[in-house]
Amino acid sequence: MAVQDLDVAAYCLRLGDDALVLAQRLCEWAARSPQLEEDVALMNLALDLLGQSRSLLTLAGEREGAGRDEDDLAFLRDEPDFVNAQLMELDNGDFGRTMARQLLVSAWSLPLWDALVTSTDPDLAAIAGKAVKEVAYHLDHARSWVVRLGDGTEESHRRMQAGLDEVWPYSFELFESDDLLQRLVERGVAADPAALQPIWLATVSEVVAEATLSLPETDWRPAGGRRGTHTEAFGYLLAELQHLHRSHPGVSW
Amino acid sequence: MVTTVEQVREVLASVHDPEIPVLTIDDLGVLRDVAVDGTHVTVTITPTYSGCPAMDEIRADIVTALAAAGLDDAEVRTELAPAWTTDWMSEDGRRKLREYGIAPPGELLLQIGRRPEISCPQCGSSDTEEMARFASTSCKSMWRCRACREPFDHFKAH
């Protein structure tokens, strides 16, 4: 039943790593959120992302055909083997910065999954059919916080803008193309990143305007996550994620 | 003894959602298909949300219930497509939810920032407000009724 397809495996690994790493970051808010309801909300978002990641990493393993399952891929790869966008791994910072990242990511993943619903890979399309409905809620959640904090007090406005300014440069990586993506777009498997950018920018601009914030202007475009280059913060995240599994291989409850 | 699909469905009517015990997996729309080949039973289920932690338990409950009915040769398959939707929840399921104190799913959230109109499952008033978009599980949101002052969960349209 498993069909080997290394390009599809590599693409699923990127999307699976995006979801896994962002889920892990969001979990750092457990018991530290500004409100009890927000604790629950962030853990629900993380749970959705973790579920998406499990499906994607499982599919990546199947298409790779080397016998690796979701646990092997999540727990037994080192930093340079992870191909998530750097935006996902950035430190949470304050709540405003976390919500800025959440807005930029969700405004990208909604049109992404929407496009992948019609992917020519039926298993990827099936995962997309579920994910698109989940991230619609994620985008709505991020939007409401960015507006509330941006259009709030002088202090909340200042911090929301600062958070947006800090994470903004990392959004460019989401729209980069490369040989792998070009091949997969041609086959109708992957979403064309260039086609997602105008949709993303329209959503983000609308929210930013409603929040009385301004779109950051910068030429700095850090990237490299898709090739295994990561920020300093990533190693610490991975250590926490993998510590238990690596210390006690095969451990179960 | 010949195993029939009807027989299997009858057994599965005793398998409930562990998070919302008033609903069977059939009420919820999680049960997608039952196939019987001789004595071999294949049950196909679909997850509500990608990360729904109840799926493992549901899978185990199905196998246990079938084994208790003497159907040892059972297999549970998980299929993602077509993606589960709250539209698959039965009318009976919606009624049971309301009686249990959970407002059943309303309209699907199609536009960002739009709030669905939800009636209070306690007093029926439509004078309600959302307190939090996410609640005890991913599939619910937290609401309160301004008329009877009771808080309640709403099963989100999905």
Side-chain angles (χ1 to χ4, degrees):
Chain A
M1 153 175 160
V3 185
Q4 194 187 37
D5 189 329
L6 294 179
D7 276 359
V8 174
Y11 186 55
C12 290
L13 198 59
R14 290 181 180 186
L15 299 177
D17 284 351
D18 282 346
L20 176 66
V21 170
L22 186 58
Q24 180 73 8
R25 269 289 176 242
L26 288 178
C27 284
E28 290 172 13
W29 278 104
R32 290 180 178 83
S33 301
Q35 305 172 335
L36 182 59
E37 290 84 352
E38 193 50 29
D39 233 61
V40 174
L42 288 175
M43 294 314 105
N44 272 313
L45 301 191
L47 184 62
D48 284 344
L49 291 166
L50 193 61
Q52 292 163 16
S53 166
R54 291 185 62 181
S55 299
L56 288 161
L57 293 183
T58 299
L59 183 57
E62 284 173 12
R63 293 288 187 271
E64 183 191 47
R68 291 201 284 184
D69 67 8
E70 50 176 324
D71 283 350
D72 295 331
L73 289 169
F75 296 124
L76 299 177
R77 282 181 299 149
D78 292 332
E79 266 183 83
D81 305 324
F82 275 79
V83 284
N84 56 283
Q86 290 179 353
L87 178 61
M88 313 296 167
E89 74 201 36
L90 298 180
D91 273 329
N92 284 332
D94 64 12
F95 186 71
R97 175 165 149 158
T98 294
M99 281 305 121
R101 182 184 59 201
Q102 216 47 37
L103 174 68
L104 301 188
V105 172
S106 311
W108 162 76
S109 54
L110 182 60
L112 169 76
W113 290 121
D114 196 37
L116 292 179
V117 166
T118 53
S119 169
T120 50
D121 186 295
D123 293 322
L124 184 56
I127 295 170
K130 300 219 61 71
V132 69
K133 296 202 268 185
E134 291 158 3
V135 298
Y137 279 102
H138 297 193
L139 177 58
D140 190 57
H141 175 260
R143 183 207 64 88
S144 67
W145 271 114
V146 170
V147 169
R148 188 167 157 190
L149 294 173
D151 192 15
T153 65
E154 204 176 304
E155 174 68 0
S156 74
H157 177 89
R158 184 187 66 76
R159 289 173 68 168
M160 193 62 240
Q161 183 68 57
L164 185 62
D165 291 346
E166 285 159 15
V167 299
W168 181 265
Y170 293 89
S171 60
F172 294 107
E173 190 182 8
L174 300 175
F175 307 105
E176 273 189 354
S177 193
D178 59 11
D179 292 347
L180 172 75
L181 280 174
Q182 279 167 17
R183 286 196 300 274
L184 288 172
V185 168
E186 230 162 80
R187 287 172 55 193
V189 172
D192 183 1
L196 301 176
Q197 193 157 26
I199 306 172
W200 173 84
L201 190 60
T203 307
V204 172
S205 303
E206 195 183 317
V207 176
V208 164
E210 195 185 344
T212 71
L213 298 165
S214 43
L215 288 179
E217 283 176 31
T218 175
D219 290 330
W220 187 46
R221 298 183 173 199
R226 300 296 187 210
R227 297 183 298 277
T229 305
H230 294 283
T231 62
E232 186 183 346
F234 187 54
Y236 298 96
L237 177 147
L238 209 56
E240 191 165 297
L241 173 74
Q242 299 184 332
H243 164 74
L244 187 76
H245 189 92
R246 292 204 183 205
S247 304
H248 306 277
V251 70
S252 65
W253 290 110
Chain B
M1 186 181 102
V2 181
T3 307
T4 64
V5 171
E6 288 69 35
Q7 227 176 331
V8 175
R9 286 199 170 267
E10 205 171 299
V11 174
L12 294 181
S14 69
V15 178
H16 292 78
D17 180 325
E19 299 279 354
I20 311 166
V22 288
L23 294 185
T24 68
I25 54 172
D26 196 21
D27 289 334
L28 193 59
V30 159
L31 178 61
R32 295 311 294 158
D33 191 43
V34 174
V36 175
D37 182 8
T39 56
H40 184 72
V41 178
T42 308
V43 178
T44 305
I45 56 174
T46 192
T48 51
Y49 281 65
S50 300
C52 182
M55 291 311 286
D56 287 337
E57 204 168 326
I58 290 175
R59 214 172 287 126
D61 288 351
I62 290 173
V63 173
T64 308
L66 290 173
L71 305 168
D72 292 328
D73 186 15
E75 165 193 13
V76 181
R77 294 180 46 207
T78 304
E79 264 179 22
L80 294 181
W84 178 84
T85 155
T86 38
D87 292 347
W88 292 350
M89 196 180 283
S90 66
E91 273 312 310
D92 204 31
R94 285 164 200 270
R95 180 186 54 78
K96 288 186 203 167
L97 264 189
R98 204 176 295 114
E99 287 170 7
Y100 188 58
I102 299 175
E107 294 170 79
L108 191 59
L109 179 102
L110 292 170
Q111 252 175 304
I112 305 172
R114 207 171 54 89
R115 294 282 173 269
E117 279 188 26
I118 302 300
S119 303
C120 170
Q122 309 291 346
C123 72
S125 169
S126 56
D127 187 13
T128 59
E129 62 179 336
E130 188 181 60
M131 292 156 71
R133 176 49 61 86
F134 296 89
S136 54
T137 60
S138 280
C139 54
K140 287 176 271 174
S141 54
M142 227 183 293
W143 289 65
R144 73 178 149 207
C145 175
R146 292 201 198 90
C148 72
R149 319 299 293 172
E150 287 288 329
F152 64 91
D153 273 349
H154 161 56
F155 202 114
K156 286 184 285 197
H158 196 68

